[in-house]
Amino acid sequence: MAPLDRRRPPISSWLLLFFLVFSSTASAASAVLGIDFGTEYIKAVLVKPGIPLDIVLTKDSKRKEVGAIAFKAVKNEQQIEAFPERIYGSDAIALAARIPGDVYPNLKPLLGLQVKRSTSVEEYTKFHPALDLMAQEGRGTVGFKSKAFGNKAEVFAVEELLAMELQNIRSSAEAMAGKGSSIKDVVITIPPFYTAEETRALELAVDLAGLNLLGFMSDGLAVGINYATSRTFPSINEGGKAEHHLILDMGARSTSATVLQFQGRTVKDVGRFNKTIQEVNVLSTGWDRTLGGDELNAVIATQIHDELSRKLDARGIEIAPEKAQSAGRTMAMIWKEAEKLRQVLSANSETSANFESLYGDVDFRYKLSRARFEELTASIAERIDRPIQHALKSANLQVDDLDSIILHGGLTRTPFVQTRLEALVGNPGKIRSNVNADEAAAFGAAFRGAGLSPSFKVKEIRSRDGTAYNIGLQWSMDGKNRRQKIFVTTSQRGVEKFVPLKMLKDFSFVLSQQIPTEADMSSSSSFADSPINKIQTHNLTASVTHLIEKAGCVKENITTGFALKLSPINGLPEVSYGTVSCEVGSMGKKGGVVDEVKGFFGFGQKNDEQKPLKDAARDSTASGSKEDTATASGSASSGTVSPEATAEAQNVEEAKKRIETVYIDFTVTMEGTPLMTTAERTRSKERLSALNESDKARRLRSESLNRLEAFIYRIRDLLTDEPFIAASNEKEREQLQNKLHDASEWLYDGGSDAGIEELKARTKQLKDLVHPIEKRKEEAIKRPKEIELLRDLLNQTKTLADVIAEQVEKSAAEKASSSQEASTLPTSSTDDFADLEDSTTSSSTTATTTTTKPTTTPDLPNYQAEDVSSLIEVYQSVNEWLRAKVTEQDKLSPHEDPVILSEDLAAKAKELNRAVTEILQKRIRAPPPKAKSSSSAKAKTKSSKTKSSKTKSGKSTATSSSSSFLTGTGEKEEVTKIPEAEADSRREENSQAEEKSSRKKGKSNGGHDEL
């Protein structure tokens, strides 16, 4: 056995340590962020232990962040920051009129688009002409070049700018979660019409932001999950009818309609129990990519621009109207006011906007009524019905089949939109606003994220999100192009589908989406195939040859197939594996069932012919080539196998068929718009990291500058403060005044651009002068109170010492008096066996004697003389120290450093309290009185029995109740006679002792009562 000092801690200690470390790590890693990534606004909801589903506030305490970012150039090139300042949200929009070429709003619609062949890019540049938009080299996607970076300017991909916005949202969430929190996992909502290129672009932005994507989900499904969290739907197992609701989401850029099915279902739970879950399934979707708030804003902005052009012409300003639109500052001001006008008209019948120096020195006023606005947007209002009708048609439902239409998105608050919906539905009661139109999608995404995370237990809501477009497979066979539909819009994600193909040579096939050619899918009659992935096989030809020559397969019976599924994360198709196989007759296996079982578990003899095939000329990046020979009914039954059964099983095996399967090597190549290469992605992450470090350094420098400025203002106030003046002398104030003047001059002459170290040094110089004076000022205020408290404590200590001294003296006097009385009291003594005689004889032989050895000892006092002396010693020490220090302090002036500090007084008070506490706890720590010996208890029991027998005869007396008893040494000892009152008390004690002794003896006798 190991020595005590070297023994290992018990395993419970290690488990406890592991639990603490794991729980803290799990708590830090269990936070999930649900993000509604809109075009104009970004909303986020945080789920964390202790923070269940709470909206993430911006730094301005707003519940949603504007989706915009700006670069603000540094003023001084000598600053330590190497990059411009990044500004987010509403602060960035506020800079649009000042630096229109470096403010980037509403970037989401530009994801995955090619610059040269996209109408959305043209429309974006029309209303943001100051931005330097260009195509990225090698990809052709949207990029921006910022003027704030000067000569170091590089093209920022739109994915990089969106990654910065995501990082800003994460920073706000981590600040809300608490110090030291780190958030990685996110669930993000996307429109239902996102193509593979748009989805991949947003996925790239998430990766560049350093986040872990748990999954994308459509906006409509996210709203539906939020709707289901507080409701219970009829169970279809019990004859209930499913509910159908349509989610109408009208945002800044697009409109979508999603038909959802809500129902309950009873499923098997753990053991023999069942449980009821809720299901939310997407039945169909419809959308209009351009029907949104931005399109309405564009109508108003165009009207303002046209009226401005007419006003310029009327004033004779020789300038082409196109130049007014090309001026970035002018269009930024117009666009900002156009959105405000639209929002005001939702609640008012008329509004106006005033522009100062809208173009040059031209001021402009624009007035708009709701009637005029609805007249201008009449053609847009007609398009509201189409997404709804298309979604209902795809789900084979009518408007009357819907339980309700749930509104989501800011555009649904527009009066003409609600009027149009009422006309379409016919029953205004079906139009519901029973979810938060701004935050429901974010809450639904966060709830989905909590369900995906193992750290949370939430209400079980099973959802099924479909794909936006039909997905097909295209390949070439016998010189003809073949096409096969694989997934439809209602196909479930994550479920594999095996697709057989009659191909016996290496070939390639393409997975593609069928994209409508029109933005409004309901009006589109034509579709275009948009390729997603290209799959190329490598060992198919060699595998088929192997099956024919080695396995004995017939060429016509060979089948090639691939397992496909929709990714549960992004909804895009994936290839799980591919196989080529055939059914052949068994060649017969020696050894029967037993040997086959051994071979199944790897104990049998290996067959050299079962080596996997692989084309050495190609380096496969997908699944490796494998060969798996599976036998039908080849498992052995448990128990002992007889020779007859073995032979019979072998014959059956030879007669049966088996499947020969070889796994196919293949590579997957992404089609469509190329993403960043690995090197480009690494370089982009490094650039974002450098920007983050620059922002951090700038924030720390700004905090140091703010502290210096605040301290300068504080010193100015202190120099006029009477207590501060009293605690300082003229020389100190003059020196402080000079330092203050120098710091102020330095700060406002360019010191505000200094580095963080210099700012800290300037602050320290001022603090070194101020802190000694403030210390005297604080001590002058605290000292009298602390002295008074200490004096009160000294008085209490002195009183306690006097009380204890008096008790010690009194206890000593009582002890001496008790000893003297015990030596003179008479004692009744009888023979130990007198109780065996008759009562008359016993009473006649009673004799009275005296003894000098009492059997009872008075209680010792709780305190001794040493206790009093130790307490008085501490009291005198503190009292003398206080008297000396107070005398010395009274001789000093207020501006001199004190000789007695408040912390010194507190320490002395603590010393007194410690001494008093030790004295008061002495009674608690005092040991209990010693129990009487067992022989005395037995003697009392015997005396009690004797008294009982004499009482029955009617001849017992008070003196006969006190019998002699044996001491612990076996010698006889006389019992002192005591007064009658004390004798009664002793009798009661003896009776209780006798009862206890009887119970103990009864237990020792097997629980039976003593006779």
Side-chain angles (χ1 to χ4, degrees):
M1 182 176 181
L4 293 178
D5 57 341
R6 297 181 57 188
R7 291 181 185 174
R8 296 181 179 179
I11 192 169
S12 59
S13 301
W14 291 107
L15 291 175
L16 178 61
L17 177 62
F18 171 78
F19 173 77
L20 292 176
V21 173
F22 176 77
S23 61
S24 61
T25 306
S27 177
S30 60
V32 179
L33 200 60
I35 301 177
D36 178 12
F37 202 69
T39 300
E40 185 177 4
Y41 292 101
I42 303 174
K43 284 84 67 176
V45 173
L46 175 65
V47 184
K48 182 180 179 294
I51 305 178
L53 293 176
D54 200 358
I55 196 76
V56 176
L57 302 179
T58 67
K59 65 178 184 178
D60 301 326
S61 298
K62 296 180 180 178
R63 298 178 69 87
K64 56 184 179 181
E65 183 73 280
V66 178
I69 182 174
F71 294 109
K72 185 178 180 182
V74 294
K75 297 180 181 179
N76 188 352
E77 294 295 335
Q78 302 299 323
Q79 289 187 10
I80 61 173
E81 294 85 13
F83 298 101
E85 181 182 2
R86 292 184 297 178
I87 302 174
Y88 300 94
S90 57
D91 293 340
I93 295 297
L95 296 174
R98 293 172 51 192
I99 49 173
D102 281 311
V103 179
Y104 307 91
N106 299 4
L107 296 172
K108 182 182 174 183
L110 303 178
L111 281 171
L113 300 183
Q114 295 287 324
V115 174
K116 294 184 178 179
R117 58 175 188 264
S118 175
T119 57
S120 298
V121 175
E122 295 178 0
E123 184 179 356
Y124 188 86
T125 56
K126 175 182 177 181
F127 292 101
H128 304 89
L131 296 178
D132 191 1
L133 188 150
M134 61 182 62
Q136 280 194 294
E137 185 177 356
R139 298 179 60 204
T141 55
V142 177
F144 295 93
K145 192 172 183 178
S146 172
K147 303 178 180 64
F149 286 82
N151 297 330
K152 299 177 293 184
E154 296 183 16
V155 177
F156 281 95
V158 65
E159 293 90 346
E160 290 181 281
L161 298 177
L162 289 175
M164 297 178 193
E165 296 183 17
L166 289 173
Q167 287 179 339
N168 178 56
I169 292 296
R170 182 180 65 177
S171 299
S172 300
E174 289 176 345
M176 176 180 173
K179 186 177 181 180
S181 299
S182 178
I183 299 175
K184 295 290 185 181
D185 298 335
V186 294
V187 174
I188 300 180
T189 65
I190 59 174
F193 51 77
Y194 255 25
T195 63
E197 295 178 348
E198 292 170 307
T199 303
R200 286 169 174 167
L202 183 55
E203 197 170 6
L204 173 60
V206 174
D207 178 62
L208 294 178
L211 297 172
N212 176 41
L213 181 65
L214 296 181
F216 287 132
M217 63 186 308
S218 63
D219 295 324
L221 179 60
V223 176
I225 289 179
N226 176 251
Y227 178 79
T229 53
S230 58
R231 293 168 175 83
T232 301
F233 304 100
S235 176
I236 59 175
N237 303 83
E238 301 173 359
K241 182 181 179 182
E243 297 182 9
H244 296 89
H245 301 266
L246 186 141
I247 309 297
L248 181 63
D249 185 11
M250 304 186 72
R253 184 65 182 176
S254 61
T255 295
S256 64
T258 305
V259 177
L260 299 178
Q261 182 186 61
F262 297 85
Q263 63 188 17
R265 183 186 297 273
T266 303
V267 297
K268 187 172 181 58
D269 199 1
V270 180
R272 296 177 298 174
F273 300 97
N274 294 331
K275 62 180 178 180
T276 301
I277 62 171
Q278 307 301 309
E279 293 182 340
V280 182
N281 301 322
V282 176
L283 299 184
S284 63
T285 56
W287 61 79
D288 189 330
R289 277 180 170 266
T290 60
L291 177 57
D294 282 355
E295 189 170 13
L296 301 181
N297 296 342
V299 172
I300 300 176
T302 302
Q303 289 295 313
I304 296 175
H305 169 260
D306 292 344
E307 290 195 17
L308 174 64
S309 300
R310 288 193 293 268
K311 183 175 182 178
L312 293 176
D313 292 340
R315 295 182 60 175
I317 299 177
E318 297 180 359
I319 183 172
E322 301 83 44
K323 292 186 178 181
Q325 185 172 356
S326 63
R329 177 179 175 274
T330 300
M331 289 309 302
M333 295 174 65
I334 290 177
W335 185 264
K336 182 178 179 181
E337 290 299 323
E339 183 177 5
K340 288 184 179 179
L341 291 172
R342 177 180 64 83
Q343 293 174 350
V344 171
L345 287 177
S346 297
N348 299 274
S349 59
E350 192 176 75
T351 185
S352 61
N354 295 316
F355 299 89
E356 294 183 1
S357 302
L358 181 59
Y359 187 83
D361 59 350
V362 177
D363 298 336
F364 182 70
R365 174 180 170 83
Y366 179 75
K367 186 177 180 180
L368 182 65
S369 64
R370 182 188 293 179
R372 175 59 178 164
F373 174 64
E374 292 180 354
E375 180 183 347
L376 294 172
T377 57
S379 60
I380 299 176
E382 294 176 356
R383 292 158 50 192
I384 298 176
D385 302 354
R386 298 175 186 174
I388 300 175
Q389 293 172 346
H390 184 274
L392 291 174
K393 180 180 179 181
S394 300
N396 295 322
L397 296 175
Q398 301 294 328
V399 174
D400 296 338
D401 298 328
L402 296 176
D403 292 274
S404 71
I405 296 179
I406 301 173
L407 304 181
H408 185 262
L411 191 60
T412 58
R413 302 186 182 96
T414 307
F416 75 80
V417 172
Q418 297 181 352
T419 302
R420 187 79 184 183
L421 289 176
E422 291 177 0
L424 174 65
V425 176
N427 180 11
K430 282 191 174 183
I431 302 176
R432 306 283 178 82
S433 299
N434 45 9
V435 298
N436 190 316
D438 292 325
E439 302 172 359
F443 276 97
F447 188 90
R448 174 73 174 275
L452 294 174
S453 173
S455 303
F456 303 95
K457 183 175 179 60
V458 297
K459 178 182 178 181
E460 189 168 358
I461 299 178
R462 298 183 183 179
S463 58
R464 189 181 67 192
D465 202 354
T467 178
Y469 309 99
N470 294 331
I471 296 177
L473 186 148
Q474 303 173 29
W475 75 102
S476 178
M477 180 178 177
D478 298 332
K480 297 182 180 179
N481 293 329
R482 307 284 182 174
R483 185 189 305 269
Q484 181 178 349
K485 185 182 294 185
I486 305 300
F487 298 107
V488 296
T489 56
T490 56
S491 297
Q492 188 173 355
R493 296 185 181 183
V495 178
E496 288 187 350
K497 183 176 183 180
F498 192 81
V499 181
L501 298 172
K502 285 291 184 179
M503 298 297 295
L504 301 181
K505 295 182 180 181
D506 286 315
F507 75 110
S508 64
F509 62 91
V510 176
L511 296 173
S512 60
Q513 291 178 324
Q514 295 180 352
I515 308 297
T517 56
E518 301 292 336
D520 178 12
M521 69 169 298
S522 61
S523 62
S524 178
S525 57
S526 60
F527 295 85
D529 288 326
S530 177
I532 303 174
N533 292 322
K534 180 180 180 180
I535 293 87
Q536 175 67 53
T537 66
H538 299 308
N539 67 334
L540 179 58
T541 303
S543 298
V544 171
T545 302
H546 166 78
L547 291 177
I548 295 176
E549 297 179 355
K550 302 295 183 181
C553 294
V554 180
K555 185 175 181 180
E556 289 73 15
N557 294 337
I558 298 177
T559 302
T560 303
F562 291 86
L564 308 176
K565 68 176 181 180
L566 295 175
S567 170
I569 296 179
N570 56 22
L572 300 181
E574 296 178 344
V575 181
S576 301
Y577 61 90
T579 62
V580 56
S581 60
C582 70
E583 184 181 274
V584 297
S586 175
M587 302 300 296
K589 292 187 180 181
K590 298 181 179 181
V593 176
V594 176
D595 287 346
E596 184 172 347
V597 172
K598 291 182 180 180
F600 179 78
F601 287 101
F603 299 110
Q605 184 176 3
K606 294 185 178 180
N607 187 358
D608 294 337
E609 296 181 358
Q610 294 182 354
K611 294 181 180 179
L613 296 177
K614 187 171 184 179
D615 191 352
R618 288 185 173 87
D619 184 13
S620 176
T621 59
S623 61
S625 175
K626 300 178 183 178
E627 182 175 5
D628 183 15
T629 303
T631 59
S633 303
S635 61
S637 60
S638 60
T640 303
V641 182
S642 63
E644 295 79 7
T646 302
E648 182 180 356
Q650 184 174 356
N651 295 332
V652 173
E653 176 67 21
E654 293 177 353
K656 288 188 176 181
K657 300 291 184 180
R658 74 179 189 277
I659 303 297
E660 287 286 344
T661 302
V662 179
Y663 286 92
I664 301 175
D665 280 347
F666 61 89
T667 56
V668 180
T669 304
M670 192 187 69
E671 295 289 304
T673 302
L675 292 177
M676 290 183 178
T677 63
T678 303
E680 291 173 340
R681 190 173 300 207
T682 301
R683 185 168 58 251
S684 178
K685 289 183 178 181
E686 291 175 352
R687 181 163 58 170
L688 291 178
S689 178
L691 286 169
N692 292 336
E693 292 298 326
S694 176
D695 288 345
K696 181 180 179 181
R698 181 181 293 104
R699 184 175 62 255
L700 294 176
R701 197 197 71 86
S702 178
E703 292 174 357
S704 298
L705 177 61
N706 292 337
R707 280 194 293 267
L708 176 58
E709 290 178 340
F711 200 68
I712 288 175
Y713 284 110
R714 185 176 172 219
I715 292 175
R716 291 175 180 174
D717 295 337
L718 289 175
L719 289 174
T720 60
D721 183 47
E722 291 298 333
F724 187 84
I725 294 174
S728 60
N729 55 38
E730 186 65 27
K731 182 179 179 181
E732 290 174 328
R733 291 194 298 272
E734 183 179 355
Q735 184 181 7
L736 182 59
Q737 184 69 46
N738 294 334
K739 287 289 185 181
L740 177 63
H741 180 268
D742 294 343
S744 300
E745 292 295 327
W746 172 82
L747 187 62
Y748 296 110
D749 286 344
S752 57
D753 296 330
I756 183 173
E757 297 300 329
E758 189 173 358
L759 291 171
K760 289 182 177 180
R762 290 276 182 174
T763 305
K764 186 177 183 301
Q765 290 177 2
L766 295 176
K767 287 184 175 180
D768 290 343
L769 296 176
V770 172
H771 283 174
I773 303 175
E774 285 194 319
K775 184 67 174 178
R776 298 177 210 143
K777 174 185 172 182
E778 294 175 0
E779 289 297 328
I781 296 174
K782 293 181 179 179
R783 191 186 310 112
K785 297 180 180 178
E786 294 292 338
I787 291 176
E788 187 66 26
L789 291 174
L790 184 56
R791 284 174 175 168
D792 291 342
L793 187 56
L794 283 169
N795 294 334
Q796 296 173 7
T797 304
K798 183 65 170 63
T799 303
L800 178 61
D802 294 342
V803 171
I804 294 176
E806 182 180 354
Q807 181 181 358
V808 170
E809 294 176 359
K810 184 177 179 181
S811 298
E814 290 178 352
K815 181 178 180 180
S817 175
S818 176
S819 299
Q820 183 178 2
E821 291 179 359
S823 62
T824 58
L825 286 175
T827 301
S828 175
S829 177
T830 60
D831 184 42
D832 290 337
F833 301 98
D835 292 337
L836 300 177
E837 300 176 0
D838 295 337
S839 59
T840 54
T841 307
S842 176
S843 58
S844 64
T845 59
T846 302
T848 302
T849 62
T850 60
T851 180
T852 59
K853 183 178 179 182
T855 59
T856 59
T857 304
D859 295 336
L860 294 175
N862 292 324
Y863 304 107
Q864 304 294 334
E866 294 80 2
D867 300 328
V868 181
S869 61
S870 63
L871 185 60
I872 292 178
E873 182 180 353
V874 175
Y875 164 79
Q876 291 176 349
S877 173
V878 174
N879 192 31
E880 291 175 2
W881 176 86
L882 180 62
R883 186 183 300 109
K885 289 295 183 180
V886 170
T887 302
E888 188 177 354
Q889 179 66 40
D890 291 341
K891 297 178 182 180
L892 300 177
S893 59
H895 63 269
E896 294 180 315
D897 292 333
V899 297
I900 179 172
L901 301 177
S902 57
E903 52 262 29
D904 298 334
L905 294 168
K908 291 297 181 180
K910 187 176 181 179
E911 182 180 353
L912 276 176
N913 280 325
R914 189 184 303 112
V916 171
T917 302
E918 290 178 357
I919 293 297
L920 294 178
Q921 288 182 345
K922 187 175 182 63
R923 181 186 296 271
I924 301 176
R925 296 195 302 264
K930 294 183 178 180
K932 295 182 179 181
S933 62
S934 59
S935 58
S936 300
K938 292 180 180 179
K940 288 186 178 181
T941 303
K942 181 178 179 181
S943 175
S944 175
K945 291 179 180 180
T946 305
K947 182 178 70 173
S948 175
S949 62
K950 292 186 177 182
T951 303
K952 291 179 181 179
S953 62
K955 297 181 180 181
S956 64
T957 62
T959 56
S960 64
S961 63
S962 299
S963 312
S964 62
F965 59 94
L966 293 175
T967 62
T969 58
E971 298 176 355
K972 294 183 179 180
E973 185 176 2
E974 300 296 335
V975 180
T976 306
K977 187 175 182 180
I978 57 178
E980 187 66 26
E982 188 173 354
D984 294 338
S985 177
R986 294 291 179 87
R987 293 190 192 100
E988 183 177 355
E989 291 178 0
N990 292 339
S991 178
Q992 295 176 357
E994 178 183 3
E995 183 178 356
K996 292 181 181 179
S997 177
S998 299
R999 286 199 298 268
K1000 291 180 180 179
K1001 189 172 182 180
K1003 292 180 180 180
S1004 64
N1005 291 335
H1008 299 285
D1009 294 336
E1010 182 183 1
L1011 296 178

